[in-house]
Amino acid sequence: MKKAIKWIVIAIILVIVIGIGILVVKDFRQEDILREEMLAFENLTREENIDVEQIDQRIRELKTTGDYGVVEKAVKQYLTDGLNASIEIANVLNDEKLVNALTPENYKEDGPEFTQTKQFLEEAKEKVETSKTELLELLSEEKIMSYIEGKNLDQYYIDLYKELALAAESTSESDKQEVEATINEVIGMLDIESQIINFLTENKGNWEVQEDTIVFDSETLQNQYNEYINQI
């Protein structure tokens, strides 16, 4: 009887040990899957021609479960918010209204008051400035960590999130300054275009479009216009 009890105890312990071993292996595999998924997701956001639909699909399909799934969702949401703010700026730059704002065709169609062009440039600048504020905030460690707050996770998973999120975005001051400088260049370009349009409105009786070329009735105005154009 004693031997029987002994073997039962040994069997139970073996089952428990094996079970723990399986859980540990499974846990490590979950982390490997998460790291692989985040690397693939990050690569998608860094492609020259970003496929927004593909990224959206990847966000919705969590590859991990449990606490790892919580970490995965938080990192993806963080990256998505940064991507959306960047796309907003890209949409402004790619808008045909911006591309065509300083063309003879637009001068003919919307000049000399340029009501639609002025409104577009004003709204475009507001969008870029809003996105700039969002992106700079997203580069702060405080904002990054806010995505994992209140998830009731052990410190291990919080540290894992921090590692993955900070790997995706640098929070150094030099990088923040580089991002800000790049966006300021876009804002500066929009300001110059607005100055040109306002210049044309203020001098609406002193220019006309001839054979797809804007011609001023004085050399002084022509030179001023050319100076504006050279700043773009």
Side-chain angles (χ1 to χ4, degrees), residues 48-66:
E48 184 175 351
N49 298 315
I50 294 176
D51 189 332
V52 178
E53 291 184 2
Q54 186 178 1
I55 290 175
D56 183 63
Q57 182 180 355
R58 195 133 201 166
I59 292 171
R60 297 174 186 275
E61 296 177 356
L62 295 181
K63 303 294 184 180
T64 56
T65 59

Side-chain angles (χ1 to χ4, degrees), residues 2 17 22 46 51 61 63-64 88 91 100 108 113 140 147 162 165 180 192 200 209 219:
K2 289 182 179 180
V17 171
I22 291 173
R46 295 183 183 278
D51 189 332
E61 296 177 356
K63 303 294 184 180
T64 56
E88 185 69 27
N91 287 339
N100 297 325
K108 292 177 183 178
E113 298 300 333
S140 70
Y147 286 79
K162 183 177 181 179
E180 185 172 13
I192 293 172
L200 293 176
V209 177
E219 185 177 351

Side-chain angles (χ1 to χ4, degrees), residues 103-117:
T103 62
E105 290 76 17
N106 189 56
Y107 292 171
K108 292 177 183 178
E109 293 175 6
D110 197 31
E113 298 300 333
F114 295 100
T115 304
Q116 295 181 23
T117 304

Side-chain angles (χ1 to χ4, degrees), residues 24-40 63-64 68 156 160 164:
V24 170
V25 171
K26 182 179 179 182
D27 215 38
F28 278 129
R29 181 56 188 149
Q30 283 277 295
E31 185 168 330
D32 287 340
I33 293 172
L34 175 58
R35 290 182 182 279
E36 292 168 2
E37 174 65 7
M38 297 322 303
L39 179 60
K63 303 294 184 180
T64 56
Y68 285 103
Y156 175 82
L160 177 60
L164 294 172

Side-chain angles (χ1 to χ4, degrees), residues 81 85 89 125-140 143 179-180 183-184 187:
D81 288 348
I89 296 175
K125 183 178 179 180
E126 289 178 359
K127 290 178 181 178
V128 173
E129 288 181 334
T130 299
S131 295
K132 170 188 169 182
T133 300
E134 293 174 357
L135 284 169
L136 292 177
E137 184 181 7
L138 284 167
L139 290 175
S140 70
K143 181 64 175 180
V179 169
E180 185 172 13
I183 300 175
N184 283 342
I187 295 173

